[in-house]
Amino acid sequence: MIINGRAQVAAARDELWAILSDPGRLAEALPGVEDVSIEDERRFSAVAHPLTALGATRVAMEFEIVEQRPENYVHIVGRGSSGENLLELSVELELTPGGASTTASWRADLTVRGVLSSLLQRGLGTLFNEQVEAVLAAGAGEAARGS
């Protein structure tokens, strides 16, 4: 499933990019995750709890930042599982400056297999966009605090 989105973020582009391109800072911004483990400057793992028709579902994920263009672009891939369920994602984020704010545009390719696919099929696009917007809002909050 291809998902596109765009949001205006109350943070300077360089500050937002610094958060999105750093596994430790990015992991902190992800909503509903726990047990974060930073592997190196490009890879980290975490346990996510996306909401499905049955409530929160535990998904162990591994992420990698596979491409970066300073202050403009970051490409993140992830793969995770929950029992017989499989989740794969590829997210490309482009950042465009706009004074004190930044326009973030994203394109994601998500694959969900197993029962989780049935539970998420109608709300996956909305859920994913909400997650990206939450990460961007957390990044804006961190930038505002001057971290």
Side-chain angles (χ1 to χ4, degrees):
M1 168 183 261
I2 302 296
I3 300 168
N4 296 294
R6 172 178 275 184
Q8 196 69 26
V9 184
R13 179 176 65 168
D14 62 334
E15 295 171 335
L16 188 58
W17 185 84
I19 294 163
L20 295 173
S21 64
D22 179 309
R25 294 172 77 186
L26 176 59
E28 288 179 21
L30 292 172
V33 300
E34 58 187 33
D35 298 330
V36 174
S37 175
I38 308 302
E39 308 300 325
D40 58 32
E41 69 279 350
R42 291 199 176 262
R43 295 183 304 220
F44 68 98
S45 61
V47 176
H49 297 275
L51 292 176
T52 69
L54 298 177
T57 301
R58 183 183 187 280
V59 181
M61 297 287 300
E62 293 182 1
F63 297 96
E64 181 178 3
I65 299 170
V66 294
E67 185 180 355
Q68 302 172 342
R69 289 194 297 270
E71 298 186 17
N72 293 310
Y73 174 87
V74 63
H75 181 188
I76 304 163
V77 297
R79 182 181 178 98
S81 63
S82 175
E84 80 276 352
N85 301 298
L86 176 67
L87 173 65
E88 296 176 321
L89 61 92
S90 174
V91 184
E92 298 177 76
L93 291 116
E94 294 204 32
L95 306 175
T96 306
S101 67
T102 301
T103 300
S105 302
W106 60 91
R107 179 183 186 280
D109 186 358
L110 278 81
T111 302
V112 181
R113 294 190 178 97
V115 175
L116 196 56
S117 174
S118 296
L119 295 173
L120 291 173
Q121 68 182 349
R122 292 191 179 148
L124 184 58
T126 301
L127 174 64
F128 185 80
N129 280 338
E130 288 171 354
Q131 296 293 304
V132 173
E133 289 170 3
V135 167
L136 295 170
E142 181 181 335
R145 289 187 300 277
S147 298

